[in-house]
Every structure is written in structure tokens, then in C-alpha cells.
Amino acid sequence: ITMNAQTIMNQYKTVGLKSGVDSASPHQLIDMLLKGAMGKISEAKAAMAGGQIALKGEAVGKAIAIVEYLRVSLDPGIDAAFSEQLGELYRYIETRLLDANLKNDKEALDEAQALLRELSVGWAGIPDEYRSE
């Protein structure tokens, strides 16, 4: 798990977000991860449309790695039932991304991206006083 987290953080650092990642609060980091996964799905869609199978697979793989990290990082301490439900949603998104990659299924990419977008909007709407810094 720790290696996965480090790998993901290194990916963000290599794309010019080093200062943002280094100074991000936990809340901001989750936001960056959600947006990063959505960005990788956009890259996969573009690669799929252009027939670039290897590039599509790489982008989907990175999106899956980010979603997996979000899932395994869930803290059930405050609300175990909610954490379990969110974990199941992340698993579902991972499954849809795998399906998209294996079957060249653009609709599966669209669905995964839409679910991540909803999570991102919800995450952004959490009031400051409830954000752990």
C-alpha cells in the first residue's frame, strides 16, 4: 500500500505539481487524486478514439491505481458503514475501468468518470470545519 501511495505521489510530482502535493492538506490531496483519475480517464478516451491501444491501457492503468489508492486509504474510524459503501463504489469504478480497457468500452469510461465527478463535487462541498487538515 505504501509503495502504491509513493508511486502515485511521484506521478503527480513528475507532472509539475510537486509544490501542490508537498503543501496539500489531506482534503486537498483527495481532491487532487479524484481530479487526476478523471484526467487519466480523459486521456484514455482520447487514446481510444485515436486507436492508440497502448496509450489507452497506460492511462486506464493509472486511473485504476489512483482509485485503488483512494479505496485502500479509506479510514473507517468515524463512520464504518459509509467507508464500506464508498469502498464498494471505488471497487465498482475499478471494475468499470477494467471493463473499459479490456472491451474498448467508451461508455464504461464515461460512467467511471461521471461517478468520480460526483464524488469530486461532493468532496468539494464539505464545509471547512469538517475537513481534517
Side-chain angles (χ1 to χ4, degrees):
I1 296 171
T2 305
M3 225 166 90
N4 239 355
Q6 192 58 49
T7 301
I8 292 169
M9 290 300 92
N10 286 340
Q11 288 174 1
Y12 278 96
K13 290 177 181 181
T14 60
V15 294
L17 295 176
K18 184 175 183 352
S19 61
V21 170
D22 288 345
S23 64
S25 70
H27 187 89
Q28 292 167 323
L29 190 55
I30 298 291
D31 182 59
M32 292 170 75
L33 289 167
L34 288 167
K35 288 178 179 165
M38 289 185 289
K40 291 299 172 191
I41 294 170
S42 290
E43 288 178 25
K45 286 197 259 188
M48 186 184 289
Q52 299 170 306
I53 302 305
L55 194 58
K56 175 208 64 173
E58 184 180 324
V60 170
K62 288 178 181 178
I64 290 171
I66 294 169
V67 174
E68 178 187 18
Y69 176 73
L70 288 165
R71 180 177 52 79
V72 300
S73 299
L74 288 169
D75 180 4
I78 295 171
D79 188 340
F82 177 74
S83 289
E84 188 174 325
Q85 289 173 340
L86 188 53
E88 289 301 316
L89 179 58
Y90 284 139
R91 272 189 201 89
Y92 177 75
I93 292 168
E94 289 174 55
T95 301
R96 294 303 287 150
L97 289 169
L98 282 169
D99 288 345
N101 197 31
L102 292 172
K103 301 172 185 171
N104 259 355
D105 185 347
K106 183 187 175 302
E107 287 76 26
L109 288 177
D110 290 340
E111 181 184 7
Q113 192 171 44
L115 290 167
L116 288 167
R117 188 174 298 113
E118 284 184 47
L119 287 169
S120 181
V121 168
W123 189 252
I126 295 174
D128 288 341
E129 61 266 23
Y130 295 107
R131 297 179 184 189
S132 59
E133 300 299 326

